[in-house]
Amino acid sequence: MTQKPVMHSAHWGAFHAQREGEHLRVTPFPRDPDPSPLLQNFRHALHHPARVARPMVRRGWLENGPGPDQRRGADEYVAVSWEEACQRVAQELKRVGDAHGPAGIFGGSYGWSSAGRFHHAQSQVHRFLNTVMGGYVRSVNSYSSGAASVLLPHIVGDMTEIARRGVSWEEIAAHSDIVLAFGGLALKNSQVASGGLSEHTERGFMRQAAQRGTRFISVSPLKSDLPDEAQGEWLALRPGTDAAFMLGLLSVLIADGLTDEAFLARYCVGWPEMVAYLRGEEDGVVRDARWAAEICGISSEAIGTFARRLHGKRVLVTVAHALQRAEHGEQPVWLGLVLAAALGQPGLPGGGYTYALGALGHYGKHHNLVSFPALPQGKNGIDRLIPVARIADMLLNPGTPFDYNGRRLTYPHIRLAYWAGGNPFHHHQDLARLRRAFCQLDTLIVHESAWTASARHADIVLPATMTLEREDIGGAPTDRHLVAMQPVAAPYAEAKDDYTIFSELARRLGREEAFTEGRDARGWLQHHYRQLQEKLAAHQVTIPEFGQFWQQGVIELPQVKDGGRMINAFRADPEAAPLPTPSGKIEIFSATIAGFGYENCPGHPVWREPQQKPDADHPLWLIANQPATRLHSQLDFGEYSLSGKRGGREVCRLNSQDAAARGIADGDIIELYNDRGHVLAAARLTDAIMPGVVQLPTGAWYDPVDPTAARPLCRHGNPNVLTLDIGTSSLTQGCSGQITVVQVRKFAGEVTPVQAFIPPQ
Ligand code: PGD
């Protein structure tokens, strides 16, 4: 049966969806100039066998009750009624709450879930735990930018200013001579923005800028990090060595007298300390181009030529999220700013420093005049937190102290973790260790629409609706379209939306009114829309009534052109418009950070040897970057995601020389391995990746042959089996999953089919 098309939205674009029997016809929003192919992942999603159909309880938990259990991830599941599932969840929450209080519950529940702002799963969990349980242990920061989001406020300003308002694509197209992009500007990343992205404009802007004469330079081990439209240059350097390269560039600029000393003196603090470090006055190590060449694999002559090219040009420096998802990831972020300052560029149109341009569709865009209201989170009764990527450390080491941003905190003893809208077995590192960590819990509760590995490790799995099965409002602060997300289908099998589940649990725990405030989902949408109307009315802007918005499917919101950026005002008058740093200036040296006394992140940017680097046993760097065919692990079973696999397995790209040295041919099934585990993938040979580097994107659902193995073998291709679970530094404790070291060989064992999309027994 074919139905009328309805409007809907995802993190990767707005679209019309129309049922064709069990499948969907997905048509991109007509005003989107460059729609994302990720939309096609929805086509067969609604009735995919990987969907969770009924509430399920892990057999070991059902039979033995809550408690640490090594069978998590390897146990059977028993279907139960909603009545029984809710009763057991409510009872367990009450038990843990009574015995341990909110400090026994982890509700960090990291994850992107879906674009709708009301059904945003993480907000639902947080509101539920605050209003019903009195609070929870929370997580701070993100897997995307854990290092940068803590560092930037110390040295220049917060993420919103430096990433979202750093520069606009219009400005680049009009003014930039050189866009120096550390980590590139891959369109696979900017096709996504949390909350929705109705217009994909990056490709057009890059084409326009290149035609005017902007030179895009991508510094990366992968050629694919810069799209063809940019007509740019590829500078291949060893993974994780950008900081050394930037120090080399600074040394050349100083030696040749090409630094903008007037800018550095007026707008920055700490340049003398930086110069002293480069000259080796602290420790006798001179960090010049020859020193840098040894580390990053680019000749000292090439470093010299490169640095001189930057002088006298309108240069925009940007550093991708990827660079800071590594040990000492703070350093390239900081040095990118120092380089832009040394060239005297911050605050000039199309010049200076912007963090993570192109890493998300939000960046380089204009902002809506007012933002769409968020679901109120209630009050968390406790102040216990972890940096988000320290979850396994927390579960494995209760009571142990750790450092974070100048604070000495202690890991709480967590008994129950509640997760909705995220897939930790996608986003976390060292998955065998993560499994051991989850085995320490008394209870893990997960709401999921599909049998991800995270659902397969849970004690109670509650089937959640997909975004396509409920109504919501999609909108992002940088998207001028607000989308009425209309349901395309009835909920799959027994699935319910997160709000309905939490409302029922709140009722059983005697806190329904506190959680729902007497509204159903439609009531909240109307309430939030009304709040938006009021915010806009204060600016004399009128938008249609809710009913008309719902019928139209989309409305346009007013935006502000980002002319009055913080950095422009600062450049105009640094005394009148100081930066929000302790000195009011760009901090090349931060007395605050120096005061924390961290060896792995001192008071000015440095090069620190990482503990992970290639050796005889693991001679190759692995880049575990974001996938091009899906958002993270979402809809990995979708049509477009599957089209990127070979024989159902994820594709690993490696240089032809490295393949030849190992007798590997294109299409072979290869095994990547290190001390943490083994991963199978299909080999693709290419010269668009530098020798010594292999690349396997994240997001293939974890599919271990033996989930309990100390060094598991994932037959599908999830690189987080191999990545190391350490914080970037004591300052930020960010995720460092972007790179690791591995060996690769042709797989000699028995090849069994991928089973990631077959539900557990
Ligand atoms: P997703 O795959 O998006 O990954 O981590 P994140 O956990 O966000 O998981 C979202 C889950 O939510 C999906 O399983 C989906 O089915 C479910 N879901 C969607 N909508 C709903 C809903 O309404 N309700 C419920 N209950 N569930 C829903 C992403 C994280 O991974 C990020 S942001 C980054 S940047 C990291 N990047 C890297 C990296 O570069 N390298 C490595 N090695 N590892 C990384 N991990 C990080």
Side-chain angles (χ1 to χ4, degrees):
M1 197 182 75
T2 307
Q3 291 175 344
K4 215 167 123 276
V6 298
M7 188 77 193
H8 212 78
S9 182
H11 296 302
W12 46 94
F15 56 98
H16 286 100
Q18 187 174 16
R19 287 288 295 279
E20 290 180 329
E22 294 215 328
H23 305 311
L24 278 188
R25 179 197 296 225
V26 179
T27 316
F29 182 52
R31 282 177 240 171
D32 189 341
D34 184 24
S36 164
L38 262 56
L39 288 174
Q40 297 314 322
N41 279 334
F42 282 128
R43 240 181 92 63
H44 304 291
L46 284 172
H47 290 86
H48 194 280
R51 294 288 307 267
V52 183
R54 305 181 59 186
M56 295 284 218
V57 183
R58 188 173 65 78
R59 185 176 292 286
W61 193 92
L62 202 57
E63 289 172 359
N64 304 326
D69 189 344
Q70 293 304 317
R71 278 170 296 178
R72 290 199 175 97
D75 208 349
E76 292 176 357
Y77 282 85
V78 180
V80 297
S81 65
W82 268 110
E83 170 60 28
E84 182 178 350
C86 287
Q87 187 219 331
R88 286 183 181 274
V89 172
Q91 204 174 14
E92 177 59 357
L93 281 167
K94 184 161 177 356
R95 180 190 75 83
V96 175
D98 288 350
H100 308 285
I105 301 174
F106 182 66
S109 185
Y110 185 81
W112 271 56
S113 66
S114 36
R117 295 300 80 190
F118 171 67
H119 288 289
H120 182 241
Q122 205 183 39
S123 307
Q124 293 285 347
V125 183
H126 295 169
R127 179 175 169 82
F128 171 77
L129 292 175
N130 282 340
T131 54
V132 177
M133 302 302 297
Y136 59 93
V137 174
R138 68 191 204 278
S139 63
V140 293
N141 312 326
S142 68
Y143 275 81
S144 302
S145 56
S149 60
V150 177
L151 173 71
L152 287 170
H154 287 293
I155 61 171
V156 58
D158 70 16
M159 281 277 293
T160 306
E161 283 298 331
I162 308 306
R164 292 200 179 182
R165 295 186 203 269
V167 72
S168 72
W169 278 106
E170 268 114 324
E171 214 180 305
I172 292 171
H175 298 285
S176 307
D177 294 326
I178 293 179
V179 175
L180 177 52
F182 289 92
L185 295 164
L187 292 170
K188 71 176 171 60
N189 298 332
S190 54
Q191 71 183 322
V192 163
S194 53
L197 181 59
S198 60
E199 295 164 297
H200 294 80
T201 51
E202 285 78 0
R203 193 191 301 275
F205 279 124
M206 278 190 221
R207 191 182 290 127
Q208 200 183 321
Q211 279 165 2
R212 190 195 47 82
T214 304
R215 198 68 182 147
F216 288 94
I217 306 174
S218 168
V219 182
S220 166
L222 309 178
K223 190 172 182 209
S224 56
D225 279 337
L226 196 64
D228 293 344
E229 286 76 6
Q231 299 168 37
E233 293 169 34
W234 175 36
L235 184 71
L237 96 174
R238 289 189 189 125
T241 65
D242 303 75
F245 177 61
M246 293 189 217
L247 288 167
L249 294 177
L250 287 169
S251 281
V252 175
L253 294 175
I254 294 169
D256 289 12
L258 302 178
T259 50
D260 187 335
E261 294 296 325
F263 181 88
L264 289 161
R266 180 155 190 224
Y267 296 97
C268 306
V269 292
W271 180 237
E273 285 89 339
M274 190 77 244
V275 174
Y277 173 73
L278 288 162
R279 293 192 173 137
E281 288 169 19
E282 285 178 20
D283 54 7
V285 180
V286 179
R287 279 103 187 164
D288 58 10
R290 283 209 342 247
W291 168 87
E294 285 286 308
I295 298 170
C296 65
I298 296 173
S299 73
S300 57
E301 294 74 28
I303 294 174
T305 311
F306 196 94
R308 287 176 206 109
R309 259 180 89 187
L310 303 175
H311 177 65
K313 301 269 171 37
R314 183 61 53 84
V315 180
L316 178 70
V317 180
T318 182
V319 175
H321 281 327
L323 274 74
Q324 51 90 66
R325 278 201 294 272
E327 275 179 273
H328 311 128
E330 300 78 12
Q331 304 309 322
V333 175
W334 202 342
L335 278 163
L337 173 67
V338 176
L339 182 59
L343 293 163
Q345 297 293 301
L348 295 175
Y353 178 72
T354 186
Y355 171 68
L357 179 71
L360 281 175
H362 295 298
Y363 303 161
K365 302 291 173 58
H366 299 300
H367 281 68
N368 292 342
L369 180 62
V370 301
S371 55
F372 189 75
L375 180 69
Q377 299 291 278
K379 191 168 161 21
N380 192 335
I382 59 166
D383 182 22
R384 297 292 300 269
L385 63 91
I386 57 162
V388 67
R390 303 278 40 88
I391 178 167
D393 284 0
M394 170 183 74
L395 296 177
L396 291 166
N397 306 296
T400 306
F402 66 99
D403 288 313
Y404 168 65
N405 201 15
R407 300 170 72 181
R408 188 105 176 123
L409 301 171
T410 305
Y411 290 125
H413 190 157
I414 299 296
R415 320 292 167 140
L416 181 152
Y418 209 121
W419 224 288
N423 183 8
F425 278 85
H426 152 63
H427 63 236
H428 199 66
Q429 289 57 60
D430 193 348
L431 297 184
R433 183 170 190 260
L434 181 66
R435 193 191 79 85
R436 286 201 305 281
F438 276 135
C439 287
Q440 307 301 313
L441 288 165
D442 287 358
T443 301
L444 173 60
I445 304 167
V446 166
H447 295 187
E448 247 302 346
S449 49
W451 280 104
T452 61
S454 302
R456 289 165 202 256
H457 285 77
D459 300 306
I460 303 178
V461 183
L462 302 180
T465 50
M466 282 183 70
T467 171
L468 298 164
E469 296 157 348
R470 56 193 187 223
E471 51 184 35
D472 210 329
I473 296 179
T478 48
D479 190 342
R480 64 188 166 134
H481 293 112
L482 190 74
V483 179
M485 298 169 61
Q486 296 154 351
V488 186
Y492 174 73
E494 295 184 24
K496 295 179 193 244
D497 62 63
D498 298 296
Y499 182 67
T500 304
I501 299 170
F502 283 130
S503 302
E504 172 59 21
L505 293 172
R507 188 185 68 75
R508 285 169 190 257
L509 290 160
R511 302 282 298 158
E512 186 181 11
E513 176 59 28
F515 178 69
T516 65
E517 295 181 23
R519 296 185 186 96
D520 59 10
R522 173 58 80 99
W524 277 103
L525 298 187
Q526 287 171 327
H527 174 64
H528 283 156
Y529 190 84
R530 220 171 9 254
Q531 287 179 322
L532 177 71
Q533 280 180 310
E534 285 163 12
K535 281 166 115 182
L536 285 168
H539 295 269
Q540 286 75 50
V541 177
T542 312
I543 51 171
E545 287 307 311
F546 180 84
Q548 194 188 333
F549 160 63
W550 202 254
Q551 212 182 357
Q552 273 175 226
V554 63
I555 56 167
E556 209 173 305
L557 298 175
Q559 292 205 304
V560 277
K561 297 279 173 195
D562 288 334
R565 265 192 286 277
M566 176 183 88
I567 199 79
N568 304 127
F570 170 65
R571 180 150 193 140
D573 188 343
E575 280 73 41
L579 296 178
T581 58
S583 63
K585 298 187 176 186
I586 293 173
E587 301 224 348
I588 296 174
F589 178 87
S590 161
T592 308
I593 296 175
F596 298 156
Y598 300 140
E599 199 285 326
N600 53 20
C601 191
H604 61 73
V606 291
W607 165 254
R608 285 279 185 272
E609 279 286 327
Q611 57 171 287
Q612 298 192 88
K613 49 188 177 192
D615 58 21
D617 294 334
H618 309 107
L620 301 170
W621 281 108
L622 167 65
I623 298 199
N625 60 351
Q626 299 285 10
T629 54
R630 57 188 168 255
L631 167 65
H632 306 138
S633 67
Q634 294 205 32
L635 304 173
D636 187 28
F637 51 74
E639 188 175 284
Y640 188 59
S641 180
L642 293 178
S643 75
K645 301 180 194 268
R646 270 196 191 178
R649 238 168 283 271
E650 207 57 25
V651 169
C652 172
R653 288 170 184 77
L654 70 168
N655 186 278
S656 320
Q657 290 173 29
D658 292 322
R662 292 166 175 77
I664 294 170
D666 199 76
D668 280 350
I669 295 177
I670 54 173
E671 179 187 358
L672 296 81
Y673 60 97
N674 63 18
D675 296 344
R676 290 169 286 285
H678 306 252
V679 170
L680 302 189
R684 179 161 300 153
L685 276 44
T686 172
D687 292 324
I689 184 167
M690 68 185 287
V693 179
V694 300
Q695 179 253 333
L696 180 65
T698 57
W701 285 12
Y702 182 43
D703 186 21
V705 173
D706 172 7
T708 62
R711 292 171 55 186
L713 169 74
C714 171
R715 62 198 138 195
H716 191 189
N718 183 328
N720 274 328
V721 172
L722 305 166
T723 50
L724 187 63
D725 183 11
I726 52 164
T728 48
S729 78
S730 307
L731 179 74
T732 69
Q733 298 285 7
C735 154
S736 50
Q738 180 77 188
I739 49 178
T740 189
V741 291
V742 294
Q743 179 55 293
V744 173
R745 64 187 167 206
K746 204 163 150 171
F747 184 55
E750 188 200 348
V751 178
T752 49
V754 172
Q755 292 176 24
F757 305 135
I758 304 169
Q761 267 196 318

